[in-house]
Amino acid sequence: MRFDYGYEEEKLGKHYDLNLLKKLYFFGKPYRRLFFRAILLVVSITLLDLSLPYVTKVAIDRYIVPRTSEHEVNRKPDEKKMRYYKTDISDPDVRGILKKYRIEYNKEEKFAYISYDKFSNMDKGDVFKLRAKDINGVGLAALVLLVLVIAAFFLDFLEVILMEYTGQMVMHDLRMRLFNHIQALPFSFFTHNPTGRLVTRVTSDVQNMHEFFTSVISVVFKDIFLLFGIMVVLISINWKFALVSFTVMPFVVFASFSFSNQARDAFRILRVKVAEINSKIAETIGGIKVIQLFRKEGENYESFEKLNHENYIAGMKQIHVMAVFMPVIELLGSISVALVIFYGGSSVISEKVTLGALVAFISYIKMFFGPIRDIADKYNILQNAMASAERIFLILDTENVSENGLNDYYEKTHDNTLIDNKINGRINSIEYKNVSFGYVPGEQVLKNISLNIRAGEKIAVVGPTGTGKTTFINLLARFYEPDSGIILVNGTDIKEISPALLRSKMALVMQDSFLFSGTVRDNIARGKSGITDKEMEYIIDASNCRALIERLPDGLDTVLSEGGKSISSGERQLISIARALARDPEIIMLDEATSYVDSETESRIEKAVGNLMEGRTSIVIAHRLSTAHRADRIIVLKKGIIVESGSHEELMRMKGFYYRLNNI
């Protein structure tokens, strides 16, 4: 199995969109019905939007400026061409008005034709009577527009609610999947990736995906439907007129492609800089003691200032791209409207096109460039989301050791149940068989280690700093995988055992034990859930925590700060030993648990450690040789190789490397 944990964000490829969208579809798939309903709402809203200018066209051509065909009016060849209004003479009021203004009409016909220049000499009341049907028609058109707008409002409201709910659910699943995956990654992953970078992935990068699922998807669908709908409507009204309107489209397409390429690069750089800033802040907070002690505030400030300036430059590059593209689209939209007015105005004058059609064309053209601006703006968000998605999936695509408590290798073995049964009982033996390992290729920390550990045996591992003592137990806990060789538990390769089951048999007490924010009780109970009060009392006494618990203001319910920094390092060790006791493990691994404490606390910790090791297989990493004296067997490492093995007395009699270490 190969792991590549030291990824660099700058190493991303050029175009991942299709692959990323396929991966994102996996998270959206459980909610595809909701997405489908939202898209239906989007289509309905689009149809309503498309109908608004057309209703205006109908109102103008049919009611406001109705058009009369020339053949319907008897006109002499030498008479000036005039526009006439067609009115129904079956209405007595109409006949009265015609008589009042001495307008001649054929009583045998159903309609009379009144030239529009006559209206200027009529009373407004008479004009309203003549055009009563038109006024009613305009009122009806206004009512239809109002109904359409209200319907669009409610549908838009439902669509936003639906998309927000769906987007939140997808984000919930994505964040939980990412968090669970990070927990399952081996320790080596975290040695190559700063905390700030990982925090950015789970927080701001996932949040960037929220806008993609809530606004981008719906708006893009709506805008695409709207664009095609406008094109169809324009062509249906007047295809020649439509072709004139579309003459600027090649320039729009060129500008859009140019913008997309530049925006992609800008957002990638910006996401990298945001992650670096978060990493720097996390590093500064974690190392604030060192920074202040060595008076490095100024140097650290300058380093952050440089990073912040690079982020500013990346942000300005993104803004520059948008600042150029948006005015270009506005300019092209204005040119298109100007062409429509020029061509359409002359067509209206020559009566080739109605005034309503011209007004509708102008409305549709303005509406046409609206979606282009929206798509550009959402593309802005899309690129931000894609840049975040790349980094999220870099983590999700990283092979883990225990996704949901199962190892990939373990899942492929022929009989998982039989393998688990081999260690579901007592662990009788641990064997290192020709194990080698290095953190950096070509630089081995452990070299060809072979060792058998019996059940109940107390092993101490000693050696100079950097000789691989801590690595020895990290491999057994599967924080890292051996480069070569195998580690066997009850004769079974630990790669064939689920990490969750393997680690359930172990407890680790480190030099600087980490405690979680929460109560003392919660921290102890992390070793095992469902601890009874009687069991808790035993654990407190066995771990020598009684004096500590009684001193704390709220006893077991005292709330500790993050990392347990509100208590001393020795007290943290005692609580971590209590946590290990709560687990009731078969294998105890201690990485010099009595380091960095005073002699009184050391004595209390040694008693607690003695209780913890009683009847259990124990591996102690001894940085101080006095710790190793009570071990059944001492393993001496030198430059990653076992050079000696035996009890303290046996090794001292040999007067070899261990003897020299004791006499330094």
Side-chain angles (χ1 to χ4, degrees), residues 272-509:
V272 169
K273 295 306 172 186
V274 169
E276 289 178 356
I277 285 176
N278 287 341
S279 297
K280 184 66 176 180
I281 292 172
E283 183 183 63
T284 298
I285 294 172
I288 192 66
K289 287 183 180 179
V290 176
I291 292 171
Q292 293 180 349
L293 181 64
F294 288 94
R295 304 289 303 276
K296 292 295 182 181
E297 293 95 337
E299 185 178 316
N300 197 52
Y301 175 84
E302 291 176 1
S303 174
F304 184 78
E305 183 181 38
K306 179 177 180 293
L307 191 59
N308 196 38
H309 182 70
E310 291 173 353
N311 180 66
Y312 161 76
I313 296 299
M316 289 305 297
K317 182 179 179 182
Q318 170 216 337
I319 294 171
H320 175 76
V321 172
M322 291 297 297
V324 171
F325 178 74
M326 285 302 186
V328 167
I329 294 300
E330 290 287 348
L331 176 63
L332 293 173
S334 299
I335 292 173
S336 183
V337 171
L339 289 172
V340 168
I341 292 174
F342 174 75
Y343 181 81
S346 60
S347 298
V348 170
I349 293 172
S350 62
E351 297 188 357
K352 294 179 181 177
V353 176
T354 65
L355 179 62
L358 175 61
V359 172
F361 257 84
I362 294 174
S363 298
Y364 280 122
I365 289 299
K366 288 184 176 180
M367 188 185 292
F368 185 83
F369 281 87
I372 294 176
R373 288 190 295 271
D374 283 344
I375 290 174
D377 186 48
K378 297 309 176 186
Y379 189 84
N380 199 0
I381 297 173
L382 175 64
Q383 290 309 305
N384 199 3
M386 290 298 101
S388 294
E390 283 181 298
R391 284 150 185 80
I392 290 172
F393 285 111
L394 273 175
I395 295 178
L396 289 177
D397 291 342
T398 302
E399 289 186 76
N400 60 26
V401 166
S402 55
E403 180 100 26
N404 297 320
L406 292 173
N407 174 267
D408 294 334
Y409 183 94
Y410 168 74
E411 288 179 338
K412 297 173 184 176
T413 52
H414 60 282
D415 195 338
N416 301 334
T417 304
L418 290 177
I419 291 171
D420 282 355
N421 286 339
K422 289 182 180 180
I423 66 165
N424 264 332
R426 299 290 299 176
I427 292 180
N428 300 316
S429 66
I430 300 170
E431 182 181 1
Y432 286 71
K433 204 168 186 179
N434 302 318
V435 173
S436 297
F437 174 79
Y439 295 99
V440 179
E443 298 181 16
Q444 290 189 327
V445 177
L446 294 178
K447 304 171 185 176
N448 202 34
I449 299 294
S450 293
L451 175 69
N452 281 292
I453 302 173
R454 299 181 300 275
E457 189 176 12
K458 295 176 176 59
I459 298 292
V461 182
V462 302
T465 300
T467 198
K469 301 186 295 294
T470 301
T471 304
F472 182 84
I473 59 175
N474 283 341
L475 292 176
L476 179 58
R478 290 199 67 191
F479 292 147
Y480 300 91
E481 300 293 335
D483 294 335
S484 61
I486 57 174
I487 300 175
L488 305 173
V489 172
N490 288 359
T492 301
D493 187 348
I494 60 173
K495 289 183 179 179
E496 301 180 18
I497 304 169
S498 66
L501 178 60
L502 178 67
R503 291 169 184 166
S504 70
K505 305 285 185 178
M506 302 175 176
L508 172 63
V509 180

Side-chain angles (χ1 to χ4, degrees), residues 23-143:
K23 293 175 180 179
L24 289 173
Y25 172 75
F26 171 79
F27 289 95
K29 189 176 180 180
Y31 309 101
R32 58 186 180 274
R33 290 185 178 179
L34 293 176
F35 278 118
F36 180 72
R37 292 171 188 170
I39 291 171
L40 287 179
L41 287 173
V42 166
V43 173
S44 301
I45 294 168
T46 303
L47 292 174
L48 291 175
D49 289 342
L50 285 172
S51 65
L52 296 178
Y54 198 83
V55 172
T56 304
K57 173 189 177 301
V58 171
I60 292 173
D61 288 344
R62 184 175 296 178
Y63 303 117
I64 299 174
V65 189
R67 186 177 183 184
T68 302
S69 301
E70 184 180 343
H71 74 271
E72 293 181 291
V73 181
N74 295 321
R75 181 172 63 87
K76 296 178 181 180
D78 57 344
E79 285 182 344
K80 181 181 177 182
K81 187 174 181 180
M82 300 179 67
R83 294 181 62 250
Y84 290 87
Y85 178 73
K86 183 179 179 181
T87 183
D88 187 358
I89 59 176
S90 62
D91 187 341
D93 290 335
V94 172
R95 291 197 301 270
I97 293 171
L98 294 176
K99 183 177 181 181
K100 178 180 178 181
Y101 293 98
R102 298 178 180 178
I103 298 173
E104 296 182 1
Y105 62 94
N106 189 342
K107 295 180 181 180
E108 295 180 359
E109 298 286 343
K110 291 183 179 180
F111 301 98
Y113 296 90
I114 307 170
S115 63
Y116 275 91
D117 59 356
K118 297 283 187 183
F119 287 123
S120 60
N121 299 322
M122 293 183 184
D123 295 334
K124 289 184 178 179
D126 291 335
V127 174
F128 287 153
K129 288 180 181 179
L130 284 174
R131 303 197 63 178
K133 291 183 179 179
D134 292 338
I135 293 171
N136 292 336
V138 170
L140 179 61
L143 180 62

Side-chain angles (χ1 to χ4, degrees), residues 9-10 12 196-197 199-209 263-279 311 314-315 318 380-392:
E9 299 192 353
E10 290 82 355
L12 296 171
R197 178 186 294 174
V199 170
T200 302
R201 298 297 157 263
V202 182
T203 54
S204 61
D205 280 331
V206 172
Q207 186 59 37
N208 287 338
M209 301 304 301
R264 177 79 172 183
D265 295 337
F267 275 108
R268 285 186 171 194
I269 296 171
L270 194 60
R271 295 313 305 163
V272 169
K273 295 306 172 186
V274 169
E276 289 178 356
I277 285 176
N278 287 341
S279 297
N311 180 66
Q318 170 216 337
N380 199 0
I381 297 173
L382 175 64
Q383 290 309 305
N384 199 3
M386 290 298 101
S388 294
E390 283 181 298
R391 284 150 185 80
I392 290 172

